[in-house]
Coordinates of all heavy atoms in Angstrom, one line a residue:
Q32 N -181.5 41.8 -89.4 CA -180.9 41.1 -90.5 C -181.9 40.1 -91.1 O -182.7 39.6 -90.4 CB -179.7 40.3 -90.0 CG -178.6 41.1 -89.2 CD -177.8 41.9 -90.2 OE1 -177.4 41.4 -91.3 NE2 -177.5 43.1 -89.8
A50 N -177.3 35.7 -98.0 CA -176.2 35.3 -98.7 C -175.7 36.3 -99.7 O -174.5 36.3 -100.1 CB -176.5 33.9 -99.4
V83 N -203.3 43.7 -76.7 CA -203.7 42.3 -77.0 C -205.0 42.0 -76.3 O -205.1 42.2 -75.1 CB -202.6 41.3 -76.6 CG1 -203.0 39.9 -76.9 CG2 -201.3 41.6 -77.4
M88 N -202.7 29.6 -79.3 CA -201.6 28.9 -80.0 C -201.9 28.8 -81.5 O -203.1 28.6 -81.9 CB -201.5 27.5 -79.4 CG -201.1 27.5 -77.9 SD -199.5 28.4 -77.6 CE -198.4 27.3 -78.5
T92 N -197.7 23.2 -85.8 CA -196.8 22.8 -84.7 C -195.5 23.5 -84.8 O -194.7 23.5 -83.9 CB -196.6 21.3 -84.6 OG1 -196.0 20.8 -85.8 CG2 -197.9 20.6 -84.3
L106 N -177.3 39.6 -81.1 CA -177.0 40.0 -79.7 C -175.5 40.1 -79.5 O -174.7 39.7 -80.4 CB -177.5 38.9 -78.8 CG -179.0 38.6 -78.9 CD1 -179.3 37.4 -77.9 CD2 -179.8 39.8 -78.5
V116 N -191.2 36.3 -89.0 CA -191.1 35.2 -90.0 C -191.8 35.8 -91.3 O -192.9 36.2 -91.2 CB -191.8 33.9 -89.6 CG1 -191.7 32.9 -90.7 CG2 -191.3 33.4 -88.3
A124 N -195.9 20.0 -95.6 CA -196.3 19.6 -94.2 C -197.0 18.3 -94.2 O -197.3 17.7 -95.2 CB -197.3 20.7 -93.7
V143 N -188.5 16.4 -104.0 CA -187.8 15.3 -104.6 C -188.2 14.0 -103.9 O -187.7 13.8 -102.7 CB -186.2 15.5 -104.6 CG1 -185.5 14.3 -105.2 CG2 -185.9 16.8 -105.3
D159 N -198.1 7.1 -104.7 CA -199.2 7.9 -105.0 C -199.4 9.0 -103.9 O -199.7 10.1 -104.1 CB -200.5 7.1 -105.0 CG -200.6 6.3 -106.3 OD1 -200.0 6.6 -107.3 OD2 -201.4 5.3 -106.3
G169 N -198.9 22.4 -104.0 CA -198.5 23.2 -105.2 C -197.0 23.1 -105.5 O -196.5 24.1 -106.1
F191 N -191.9 2.0 -112.1 CA -192.0 3.4 -112.2 C -192.5 3.9 -113.6 O -192.7 5.1 -113.7 CB -190.5 4.0 -112.0 CG -190.0 3.8 -110.6 CD1 -189.2 2.7 -110.3 CD2 -190.3 4.7 -109.6 CE1 -188.7 2.5 -109.0 CE2 -189.9 4.5 -108.3 CZ -189.0 3.4 -108.0
Y199 N -194.7 12.7 -114.8 CA -193.7 13.0 -113.8 C -192.3 12.8 -114.2 O -192.1 11.8 -115.0 CB -194.0 12.2 -112.5 CG -195.2 12.7 -111.8 CD1 -196.4 12.0 -111.8 CD2 -195.2 13.9 -111.0 CE1 -197.6 12.4 -111.1 CE2 -196.3 14.3 -110.3 CZ -197.5 13.6 -110.4 OH -198.6 14.0 -109.7
T227 N -187.5 13.7 -99.8 CA -188.4 13.0 -98.9 C -188.7 11.6 -99.4 O -188.4 11.3 -100.6 CB -189.7 13.8 -98.7 OG1 -190.5 13.2 -97.7 CG2 -190.5 14.0 -100.0
S235 N -180.0 10.1 -97.8 CA -178.8 10.6 -97.3 C -177.6 10.2 -98.1 O -176.7 10.9 -98.3 CB -178.6 10.2 -95.8 OG -179.6 10.8 -95.0
L237 N -177.6 9.6 -101.3 CA -177.6 10.4 -102.5 C -177.0 11.8 -102.2 O -176.2 12.3 -103.0 CB -179.0 10.5 -103.1 CG -179.5 9.4 -103.9 CD1 -181.0 9.5 -104.3 CD2 -178.7 9.2 -105.2
L241 N -174.0 13.8 -104.0 CA -174.2 15.0 -104.6 C -173.3 16.1 -104.0 O -172.9 17.0 -104.8 CB -175.7 15.5 -104.4 CG -176.7 14.8 -105.3 CD1 -178.1 15.0 -104.7 CD2 -176.7 15.3 -106.7
V249 N -175.8 7.2 -92.8 CA -176.6 6.4 -93.6 C -176.8 5.1 -92.8 O -176.0 4.7 -92.0 CB -175.9 6.1 -95.0 CG1 -175.8 7.4 -95.7 CG2 -174.6 5.4 -94.8
L271 N -175.9 23.9 -102.0 CA -175.2 23.1 -103.0 C -174.1 23.9 -103.7 O -174.3 25.0 -104.0 CB -176.2 22.5 -104.0 CG -177.2 21.5 -103.5 CD1 -178.2 21.2 -104.6 CD2 -176.6 20.3 -102.9
S292 N -210.6 17.7 -99.1 CA -212.0 17.2 -99.5 C -211.8 16.2 -100.7 O -210.7 16.1 -101.3 CB -212.9 18.4 -99.9 OG -212.4 18.9 -101.2
Q294 N -213.1 16.5 -103.6 CA -212.8 17.2 -104.9 C -211.3 17.7 -104.9 O -210.6 17.6 -105.9 CB -213.7 18.4 -105.0 CG -215.2 18.1 -105.2 CD -215.4 17.2 -106.4 OE1 -214.7 17.4 -107.5 NE2 -216.2 16.2 -106.3
E295 N -210.8 18.1 -103.7 CA -209.4 18.6 -103.7 C -208.5 17.4 -103.9 O -207.5 17.5 -104.6 CB -209.1 19.2 -102.3 CG -209.8 20.5 -102.1 CD -209.7 21.0 -100.7 OE1 -209.6 20.2 -99.8 OE2 -209.7 22.3 -100.5
I326 N -215.2 10.3 -113.7 CA -214.1 9.5 -113.3 C -214.3 8.0 -113.5 O -213.5 7.2 -114.0 CB -213.7 9.9 -111.9 CG1 -213.3 11.3 -111.8 CG2 -212.5 9.0 -111.4 CD1 -212.1 11.7 -112.6
A347 N -209.1 8.6 -100.0 CA -210.3 9.4 -99.6 C -211.0 8.8 -98.4 O -211.4 9.6 -97.5 CB -211.3 9.4 -100.8
H348 N -211.2 7.5 -98.3 CA -211.8 6.9 -97.1 C -210.9 7.2 -95.9 O -211.5 7.5 -94.8 CB -211.9 5.4 -97.3 CG -212.9 5.0 -98.4 ND1 -212.9 3.8 -99.0 CD2 -214.0 5.7 -98.9 CE1 -213.9 3.8 -99.9 NE2 -214.6 5.0 -99.9

Side-chain angles (χ1 to χ4, degrees):
Q32 303 284 320
V83 176
M88 297 303 293
T92 60
L106 304 176
V116 182
V143 180
D159 287 339
F191 294 96
Y199 287 106
T227 186
S235 296
L237 278 173
L241 282 164
V249 298
L271 296 174
S292 68
Q294 292 304 321
E295 290 170 333
I326 299 297
H348 292 158

